[in-house]
Every structure is written in C-alpha cells, then in structure tokens.
Amino acid sequence: MLEAYILEKTKQRVSETTLKRIYGFAYSKFNPSMFTLNTLSRYCDYEGWDDFCRKQEAESVKQSSTTVDWDLLKVNAGKITSFTLQAIKNKTGIPYPQTIRRQFIDDHFAAFLQGSYTATVIAAPAGYGKTVALCHWVDEKIQQSGNDIVLFFSSSALMNVFLSGRDLNDWMLGLLGYSMEEDIVALLDVRQRKEGRFFLIVDGVDEHMFKNDQFQLVINQLVDIFSFYQSHEWFKLVLTMRSSTWMNYNHMIEMGQSPWFEGFFTTHNQPSNVPLFSIQEIKELCLKINPAIKSFIAVNVVENFNHPLYFQFYYKQHKKNFSLNDVDHVSVYELISNFVLNKVYMGQYSADKIYLIQAIVEQMDFENGVFEASKLELINVIKHYNHAYLELLSIGFIREHNSSSDFEYKTSIEFSNDHFFEFSITKYLLHKNDNLFNADLINIINRYFTGERKLSILKWSIIYAIKSGQQESFQLLSQTRLNTNEKSDLIIFLGDLLEKEFSTLKDSETLIQYFKQDCSDELFDYLFGLEFINNDYAKTLHTLLKFELSDKKKILVYTGLAAISVIGLEMNKLEEYLKIMSGFGAVSYYEFSVSPLKCINTIYQYLKYGIINKEFFHELTRFYFRPPLHLEGSASNDLVFLLAAHTLRICNRPLKTLRFIAVLEKYYRPVTNTICVYSFFLKRIKTEEHLALGQIKKAMSLYFELDEAYRQAEEAFTPLMITSFNCIKIIVSFNNRQLSLADDTLEEWANLIINEMDYKLSRVYMFAFLLRNQHAIKHPPERVYKHINYMFLKTMSESGLRADIFLKQNSFIS
C-alpha cells in the first residue's frame, strides 16, 4: 500500500522489500541508496534528503523541551505491533482467522504477571505454534482498554540495528520517536505511566536467523535491556525461541538472575513450555476451519495430529473439504513424507541436504544407543555444505544441543523430532542395504532398535517396500520380534496402507498383480489373532478380502469380522456376516476341526433370542471325546479354538468347558506359563470356570499367573487383553475373602467398566455380574448400583438386546 502511495505522489518506485529493509523488518547488507532516500524525502514533502536532514536538525532543537506522553508512546508502539501482527498473520500455515486461542498462553502470562518477574521465555521446537499463540494473546491485549503498552516485533527486524552499529535500546526508543537522554527519564515517571506496563516482545530469537556473530550481539543487548529495566516492575520482556536455543543459551540469558520466569517446562532434555494440541483443541480447530463437521474420529488416531506442524501439513493438503474423518494410521507418515519432499528434496541445495542427513546418521552409534552426532566430527562437512546445514536448521529438521562442561566441548546435532529421526534412519538403513526390504534389513532393525522407535522404522520400511514393488517380502514380518501390542499396531497400520494403495491400483502394475493372488500363508497367519480384535482391525480384515483368497481364508476373515461385531454388540453387522458365511458350501467347512460358522451362529442365537443351541454343544462334546490326532498350530486355528471355548460357556457347564480345554492342551497346544496370547485367553476362561465350580484354590493359582504375566509385560497387552484381564480381576475379587469390598472399591470398578472398557460385550457382562452379585457386599451402595443398572439397561437398549439374558446367566464371553 505504501509503495503505491509513493509511486503516485513522486512518480518514483520504491519496492516493498526496500521499505521493509528501511524499517528494519527485513535483512539488509547495505545502507539505502541516495535514490531511495531522496524519493522518501520528497514523499514526505521535503525537497530531498539534504533538505530533510537540515530541517530535522532544526526540529530536534524545538522538541528538546517537549514532554513525553505515555498515551503517545502507546499509539506509536501500537503501530509497530500492528505491522508485526499483520506480517505474521499473512504467513501462517492455516489462515489466521481459522486458528484458535491456546489456553497455555493465558496460563503462562497469568503466572508470569502474578510473580515478581521482569522477563519470560516461551520455548518450544519448531512448529509447535508458539508464535500464533502469542499473536492471539497480543491481539487480545491491544484490544483491551487500559494503559499497558505492547511493542511486538520479530527478531528479523533487529538485523539492520547491528549493521548500523546502533544500540538495541536506543533503536527501540528511536523507533517509537523518542530520544535516549531526556525521554527515558519521563518513561520512568510513575505519573506519566498511569500504572501501565510496557511489554517488549521479541519473536523468534534463534541463532539460525542471524549470520556470523550477530546472534551473540542480540543476546548481549537483550541481556543489557533486561539488566537496565529489571528493577522496574512496569517493564516486561518476553522472548520466544526454539527449545534448542534456550538449551544452548539460557546460561547467558538468565545470568543467574531470579526475575526470569521459565514457565512450565515439560522435560529436561527437550525443554518446552508450549504443549501440543489437546483433543479438545483439535476439535475446536477443526470446527473453526470447517463448521460443517459433525463427527470426529477415534482419539487414538486423532492424537497423531496433536502436533500443530502436522495439523498444518494436513490442512494444506485438504483445504477444499477439510475434515479429519479420512485420517488413519498412515496419514501422519504421508504428511512427514510431504514435508520432506517440499522442504528437503526440492529446491536449492537439495542434494547437499540429503548428503548432510546421511552424514549425521553415519556418525550415530546404534550399537550403544547413541542417536546424536558430534558437531566436531562433522565440522568439515558442515563448512563445505554450510548453506544446506543452515537451511536444515531453519526448517526445524535438525537442531544443535550444546552440553559442554568445564573441561570438554560437546555440541551434538539431533533431529528435531522422532518422526524426522525415524524417517532419516530408515532411509539410511535402506541405502546401506541396497534399498532392499529383506531379512537382512529386518535383522538390523531387530538388533539396534526397540519399542516405538523400532515400530516406526518398520512402518517407514513397509511404506518404501510398497512404493518400490517389494510387497512380496511382507511374509518376513513374522521375523520382526514385536510384542503383541506392537504387532497389533503394525497390523492395523499395514491394513490402512494396503487399503490406500489398493484404491490407487491404476498407478502400480506390481500392486495389481499382488492383489490378484492369494495372500501367502505366512502373511495371512501373521495378520490373524483374537487378541487384535477392535474396530481398527476390521479395516485390516477387509483389506485381506481384496486378495484372491481361498474359501478357507475368506471364512476365517469373516469369522474375525463377526467376532468384532459380537464384542461390539452390532447385531445388524453380525447378521450380515452370518449370511455371507452361510453362503459357503458345507465342503468348505470340512477343513475346520470346529466350525466357525456354528460358533458364530450359536452366539448370535443366544444374544438375540436367548436360545441355547444344544446341537452345537453336542458336536463339541463329540470333538473332545474323539479329537483329531494331528492339529497344526497356527494363528487361525488359535482363533477358532478360542472362539469355540468362549462359545461353550453359553451353556453354563463349567466342567464341559474345562474338558474341551484339556483336550486342546493334550492334542493341540499346551497352556504354558510363558507370556502367550493363546495361553492367556484359555487361562482367563479356566479361572472363571473354576470359580463357578467353587474351586477357589485352583482359580486363584491361575489368576496369580495371569496377574504376574500382566505385571511383567503390561505394555505388550492389546486393548482386548487388558479388558479381559480387568474383567477377571473384578470377578476374582468377589471370591477372595481377604479383599474388603468397600463402597469406593465398587465405585472404582464401575468407573473402570464405563470409562476404560471399550468393548460393549465386556461392559454389559461386567455390569450384569455386579448386579447379580450385590449379595456379596454387606451394605451395597444404592447410588452406585443405580448408576450401574442405568448404564447396563442403556447399553442393552441401544444394542436391541434383552437384559434378562445376561442377568439370569452366570457365565458368558468377556
């Protein structure tokens, strides 16, 4: 706008960039040209630059006796603050009007202003949204009526200050139209201030923003300002910077001074007082962007978008019809890939950046768990590729961490977050393995990595395998040495990934051929198991149906889908799957020792009508009197036998169930003391059946084995296993005389069932159990039981089922 006014009045053009340099809002190596100075002087009604200088000298004599006015200072500061706000708002990844206020910033300033602090820092890694959150606070502050003054500018505005050799405090006062000598005295005058406070806010005080030794000058002069004003309560200094900058320079910034408020840092090794989005903030932001959104995805999926940077990436890809309903377990990996493509692989110095990333990873010591690189070891590479290095720092892909001591210099280079780290590690491992997804790669991953890090590297490797047509190697996943919960996570991820790739088959001939064949026995067996059952797992099973499966595998897939419908009490879906399973000929079921169709149909008849299918139970009786002599151990057989054992409990004959399990232990697989999913579920059933028979000692022995397994490997338990364990824990408590069943214990259990059991079948089963066993408590709390009864009847009504079926039955699936 100013550029147009100058052109119209003087007929001379001064570019917008030049104007930003003049006002200190853009970096400049040189002083403005005489042409620029003359043009600006004529725009301000002077004959030229010389005329301007002469008249300014005369004017300064006149103004020497002028009284500084706090209100005028507020107006001048407001102009600069408004300019800074507008510049930042125009650059936000999500349009600023669609961004939200963050509660943490209000809490931070409330604590800062209540204490006797002069300065505070807002520190977080790149992309945490600290600048946008601060803008909302500043916006709200300047709208309030009051005497507080806010002077807000970006650190980029400081560059010209140092090039001109001026002092930061002098520059700041000059920017506001005041001199250093007389006017500063007036600023300290209480009567002038009218009890107002002066907020000096500098955004983005980070080393990568400056060249050579400029950052050291920035720190020194900010410390000088802090030291000058720290005795004055009305002055408040606010800095924002990356966590790595605070870690490396806080010893210089604080200088042992107590008036610094550090906020609420979450960790010591990665200090940040800016939290990630909460679930509520994600919902609020979604509705701000698209008010038409009516439903939200599951919490475990949406948590991938609690990082503001990832949310911003996703928004950019889905501007036209924004919604998180299409988000799945693959989406965050797609966002990281897109970021790397645009910020690392594209543009200037791309090859240099890739080489640098590989060099950083090369310096890490996987063997000893050292996942950072020494800057000293890389100094020659950094010097050679300095532009690329600075760009990787500026985009927040890497960071420096200075942890030097008295006798040792130690600055390490790290990746800024786990996703960037895991992506880079995977690319390095693939590069060293000739870009092959094979047993050698899996052995390397098994050797050096564990937990979430290992799981993420495997996911990146699988993505690469799909993109490069190496999906035939997926049977190697059985060698990945994951615990049950990690395996469940990987299986759900693989289901989402295959489904997405299937939807774009036209782009990949190798993938078309991959889906046109039967799924290999190794991969199919790896993807199967009762322990994985939840709503997300259904997508994996549906993806399997896209292969040209044999009838046996199709039946197993539909059995898994039917089991998911059972635990969710989704009777319409259960009917649909039963109809499909009934469409297979009788010959197709000859391959099964126990018919999964009859298991599912028996459960359906009981849930829907309360009918006990005696014919099927007779068939199971014949099975354990004349069992097959050779039963092959497999995940699919585990599923069918566990399903049959659960189904047997409908007839409420504990001895019958225990005989069936005994036959399985003899002819199929023994129930061991090792942590095994198959053994876990059978022990869980046996425990409750022994309790039903009054065999408390046997039941408690089995329960203690389950409890020990849970204590040893809680992180390995899938949600279904955790729910099943919590159920038996409550049931055993009613039969353990050493436990006092207090009112608060019962209320605690009720809350556990309501809030932490996601499976409707387990929930109503436990509600019914508590309702049937009120007599076990001497003085059952009426309030708690009323709530339990309400939740039980509500869930049964929503599912269209009869409550009396569960209330009269002592045993069933849980």
Side-chain angles (χ1 to χ4, degrees):
M1 185 68 73
L2 180 57
E3 177 188 0
Y5 289 152
I6 293 170
L7 178 63
E8 181 181 355
K9 185 171 181 178
T10 68
K11 309 304 179 187
Q12 301 289 340
R13 182 182 297 278
V14 178
S15 71
E16 181 182 343
T17 304
T18 299
L19 289 170
K20 287 182 178 178
R21 289 179 180 140
I22 290 290
Y23 286 101
F25 293 106
Y27 174 72
S28 175
K29 292 182 180 180
F30 310 104
N31 290 326
S33 68
M34 188 55 65
F35 168 79
T36 300
L37 294 174
N38 281 327
T39 302
L40 293 177
S41 298
R42 285 195 290 272
Y43 176 72
C44 296
D45 296 324
Y46 296 95
E47 293 180 5
W49 176 246
D50 291 338
D51 183 42
F52 170 78
C53 291
R54 283 194 302 273
K55 290 182 178 177
Q56 285 298 112
E57 287 174 6
E59 189 68 25
S60 64
V61 176
K62 278 193 225 175
Q63 290 185 348
S64 60
S65 59
T66 304
T67 303
V68 175
D69 184 78
W70 185 263
D71 291 331
L72 184 58
L73 180 62
K74 183 176 182 180
V75 171
N76 291 339
K79 291 176 182 178
I80 298 166
T81 297
S82 296
F83 182 91
T84 305
L85 280 173
Q86 195 57 49
I88 293 174
K89 289 176 183 180
N90 290 340
K91 294 188 295 183
T92 56
I94 297 172
Y96 184 80
Q98 294 179 336
T99 60
I100 60 171
R101 290 178 66 254
R102 303 286 305 278
Q103 182 60 43
F104 86 87
I105 201 80
D106 293 332
D107 296 339
H108 184 102
F109 273 100
F112 169 48
L113 297 176
Q114 284 173 7
S116 56
Y117 303 105
T118 301
T120 187
V121 63
I122 299 170
Y128 264 53
K130 51 188 176 292
T131 299
V132 174
L134 182 61
C135 282
H136 278 282
W137 185 87
V138 172
D139 237 343
E140 191 172 278
K141 186 71 178 172
I142 61 178
Q143 297 299 324
Q144 295 172 354
S145 58
N147 294 314
D148 287 349
I149 295 174
V150 178
L151 177 58
F152 177 35
F153 54 83
S154 173
S155 62
S156 59
L158 302 179
M159 293 179 183
N160 280 348
V161 180
F162 305 114
L163 287 174
S164 64
R166 298 175 68 187
D167 175 80
L168 180 56
N169 193 40
D170 183 24
W171 172 81
M172 181 181 70
L173 289 169
L175 196 65
L176 296 170
Y178 300 100
S179 63
M180 185 64 183
E181 293 78 16
E182 298 87 353
D183 294 346
I184 191 64
V185 177
L187 287 176
L188 302 179
D189 189 339
V190 175
R191 291 170 299 174
Q192 285 289 332
R193 288 190 297 104
K194 304 175 185 176
E195 301 303 321
R197 292 170 295 193
F198 186 96
F199 289 88
L200 172 59
I201 304 176
V202 188
D203 179 49
V205 184
D206 289 297
E207 187 174 19
H208 73 272
M209 295 290 295
F210 300 85
K211 295 192 176 184
N212 303 324
D213 57 352
Q214 287 181 354
F215 187 69
Q216 191 64 57
L217 290 172
V218 171
I219 294 297
N220 291 343
Q221 297 209 15
L222 285 172
V223 169
D224 286 345
I225 288 177
F226 167 77
S227 301
F228 182 85
Y229 290 107
Q230 66 175 322
S231 60
H232 303 285
E233 293 183 0
W234 56 269
F235 182 84
K236 303 295 178 183
L237 175 63
V238 181
L239 306 180
T240 76
M241 60 183 65
R242 295 184 181 180
S243 295
S244 54
T245 304
W246 179 253
M247 290 167 68
N248 295 335
Y249 290 92
N250 67 342
H251 64 285
M252 296 178 60
I253 297 171
E254 289 186 303
M255 298 289 288
Q257 304 286 346
S258 57
W260 271 88
F261 176 64
E262 294 187 355
F264 315 106
F265 285 125
T266 53
T267 62
H268 295 292
N269 65 332
Q270 173 73 341
S272 171
N273 48 27
V274 179
L276 297 172
F277 284 141
S278 66
I279 298 299
Q280 186 56 43
E281 284 176 327
I282 292 173
K283 288 183 177 180
E284 183 184 349
L285 187 53
C286 287
L287 287 171
K288 197 86 176 284
I289 296 170
N290 182 4
I293 294 176
K294 295 182 179 178
S295 60
F296 290 91
I297 60 174
V299 169
N300 65 327
V301 177
V302 81
E303 279 179 346
N304 287 324
F305 288 81
N306 62 356
H307 197 305
L309 184 64
Y310 302 160
F311 199 102
Q312 177 184 317
F313 295 164
Y314 184 82
Y315 168 82
K316 287 182 177 178
Q317 292 180 0
H318 302 83
K319 287 181 182 178
K320 293 183 179 178
N321 189 23
F322 180 86
S323 170
L324 290 184
N325 291 330
D326 295 329
V327 168
D328 56 26
H329 297 83
V330 179
S331 297
V332 71
Y333 292 85
E334 293 176 330
L335 296 179
I336 298 301
S337 297
N338 186 262
F339 175 85
V340 173
L341 173 64
N342 287 286
K343 300 291 186 178
V344 179
Y345 291 172
M346 305 287 281
Q348 204 173 15
Y349 313 118
S350 56
D352 294 354
K353 285 183 279 188
I354 295 167
Y355 181 82
L356 261 172
I357 291 168
Q358 289 182 347
I360 292 168
V361 177
E362 187 84 53
Q363 282 293 321
M364 295 178 178
D365 185 358
F366 299 161
E367 187 81 49
N368 294 306
V370 178
F371 299 116
E372 57 187 29
S374 168
K375 184 177 181 181
L376 202 58
E377 296 293 330
L378 290 168
I379 192 65
N380 290 329
V381 178
I382 292 171
K383 283 182 178 178
H384 194 267
Y385 301 102
N386 191 51
H387 290 295
Y389 183 72
L390 291 174
E391 193 164 326
L392 287 173
L393 284 172
S394 69
I395 63 175
F397 196 81
I398 60 174
R399 63 171 179 254
E400 292 184 0
H401 178 205
N402 190 331
S403 54
S404 301
S405 61
D406 292 348
F407 299 101
E408 181 187 18
Y409 168 80
K410 185 180 179 183
T411 296
S412 57
I413 302 169
E414 309 166 342
F415 290 96
S416 294
N417 61 50
D418 288 339
H419 285 295
F420 293 162
F421 169 79
E422 290 146 1
F423 174 89
S424 302
I425 291 288
T426 307
K427 293 295 290 182
Y428 174 80
L429 295 177
L430 283 165
H431 175 70
K432 290 294 183 181
N433 198 51
D434 296 325
N435 291 317
L436 295 176
F437 181 80
N438 55 18
D440 291 338
L441 179 67
I442 288 176
N443 288 336
I444 291 171
I445 295 172
N446 282 335
R447 180 179 177 185
Y448 294 123
F449 305 100
T450 58
E452 288 294 325
R453 181 165 289 163
K454 175 181 180 178
L455 196 57
S456 190
I457 291 171
L458 277 170
K459 289 176 181 178
W460 280 118
S461 302
I462 290 171
I463 291 172
Y464 178 80
I466 287 259
K467 301 294 184 185
S468 58
Q470 299 184 60
Q471 55 276 340
E472 295 288 352
S473 300
F474 283 168
Q475 63 265 23
L476 296 172
L477 292 174
S478 59
Q479 301 176 22
T480 50
R481 297 186 211 159
L482 300 174
N483 68 40
T484 308
N485 197 37
E486 290 168 344
K487 182 181 174 184
S488 175
D489 190 318
L490 187 65
I491 285 170
I492 291 169
F493 172 83
L494 185 57
D496 284 349
L497 182 62
L498 286 173
E499 184 188 29
K500 282 196 169 183
E501 294 300 322
F502 183 83
S503 65
T504 57
L505 279 180
K506 60 176 186 238
D507 298 328
S508 173
E509 182 61 32
T510 57
L511 207 57
I512 292 173
Q513 298 306 318
Y514 182 61
F515 278 108
K516 279 189 175 179
Q517 61 184 337
D518 192 358
C519 182
S520 68
D521 291 344
E522 295 90 347
L523 179 59
F524 188 86
D525 212 44
Y526 184 79
L527 297 176
F528 236 80
L530 179 68
E531 66 273 21
F532 306 135
I533 284 181
N534 58 38
N535 288 330
D536 289 334
Y537 182 54
K539 188 180 289 187
T540 302
L541 294 178
H542 279 295
T543 301
L544 280 174
L545 290 172
K546 301 181 190 302
F547 288 92
E548 299 292 337
L549 299 177
S550 64
D551 281 355
K552 180 180 179 180
K553 288 176 181 172
K554 286 180 182 176
I555 289 170
L556 285 167
V557 171
Y558 283 115
T559 301
L561 290 168
I564 292 171
S565 301
V566 168
I567 63 171
L569 295 181
E570 296 177 296
M571 303 311 292
N572 291 336
K573 284 187 178 180
L574 183 56
E575 289 173 5
E576 179 186 333
Y577 295 133
L578 264 176
K579 186 176 180 181
I580 295 172
M581 291 175 71
S582 300
F584 292 93
V587 177
S588 299
Y589 288 95
Y590 289 163
E591 296 187 63
F592 296 95
S593 301
V594 175
S595 169
L597 172 61
K598 291 181 179 178
C599 286
I600 297 297
N601 190 48
T602 300
I603 294 171
Y604 171 75
Q605 289 182 21
Y606 180 77
L607 288 175
K608 190 75 173 178
Y609 309 110
I611 297 173
I612 296 177
N613 186 347
K614 294 182 180 179
E615 182 183 341
F616 176 61
F617 294 128
H618 291 323
E619 191 173 315
L620 287 182
T621 303
R622 289 193 293 273
F623 171 85
Y624 62 70
F625 279 122
R626 291 194 298 274
L629 297 180
H630 301 289
L631 291 171
E632 181 186 354
S634 67
S636 52
N637 276 339
D638 285 357
L639 174 68
V640 173
F641 288 136
L642 288 173
L643 183 61
H646 278 102
T647 307
L648 254 176
R649 301 189 62 219
I650 289 175
C651 65
N652 198 23
R653 301 278 295 278
L655 284 175
K656 196 182 252 310
T657 306
L658 291 171
R659 283 194 206 104
F660 179 77
I661 294 173
V663 169
L664 293 179
E665 290 185 84
K666 184 176 181 180
Y667 294 99
Y668 180 57
R669 289 191 191 193
V671 176
T672 64
N673 287 329
T674 57
I675 300 170
C676 164
V677 171
Y678 174 77
S679 295
F680 168 81
F681 281 111
L682 283 187
K683 278 185 184 178
R684 160 73 180 80
I685 296 171
K686 287 172 68 176
T687 302
E688 195 163 353
E689 297 300 63
H690 282 303
L691 286 174
L693 291 170
Q695 298 170 348
I696 307 299
K697 193 172 181 180
K698 284 185 178 179
M700 293 306 297
S701 176
L702 287 166
Y703 171 72
F704 289 139
E705 289 177 17
L706 290 171
D707 184 60
E708 180 64 22
Y710 183 73
R711 290 174 186 273
Q712 287 182 10
E714 179 181 354
E715 73 284 350
F717 275 46
T718 65
L720 183 63
M721 293 171 70
I722 293 172
T723 295
S724 185
F725 176 75
N726 283 333
C727 287
I728 195 62
K729 183 178 181 180
I730 294 172
I731 292 168
V732 165
S733 299
F734 272 85
N735 293 275
N736 185 353
R737 295 176 183 176
Q738 296 177 352
L739 180 68
S740 174
L741 295 177
D743 293 0
D744 57 348
T745 304
L746 185 65
E747 188 163 8
E748 181 182 332
W749 286 341
N751 290 330
L752 174 70
I753 296 167
I754 294 167
N755 299 319
E756 297 187 31
M757 291 188 182
D758 295 329
Y759 304 96
K760 281 189 178 181
L761 181 60
S762 298
R763 206 181 302 154
V764 298
Y765 179 79
M766 291 312 302
F767 283 146
F769 175 84
L770 294 177
L771 291 170
R772 289 196 309 268
N773 289 277
Q774 295 184 50
H775 62 277
I777 303 176
K778 290 182 180 180
H779 304 289
E782 185 178 352
R783 175 183 58 82
V784 177
Y785 265 106
K786 275 187 177 181
H787 187 54
I788 291 171
N789 188 57
Y790 167 77
M791 293 302 298
F792 170 68
L793 294 176
K794 179 176 181 287
T795 306
M796 296 302 288
S797 175
E798 289 172 349
S799 304
L801 300 175
R802 291 165 42 193
D804 63 300
I805 294 173
F806 281 84
L807 291 174
K808 70 182 180 183
Q809 190 75 15
N810 289 327
S811 298
F812 187 48
I813 306 169
S814 58

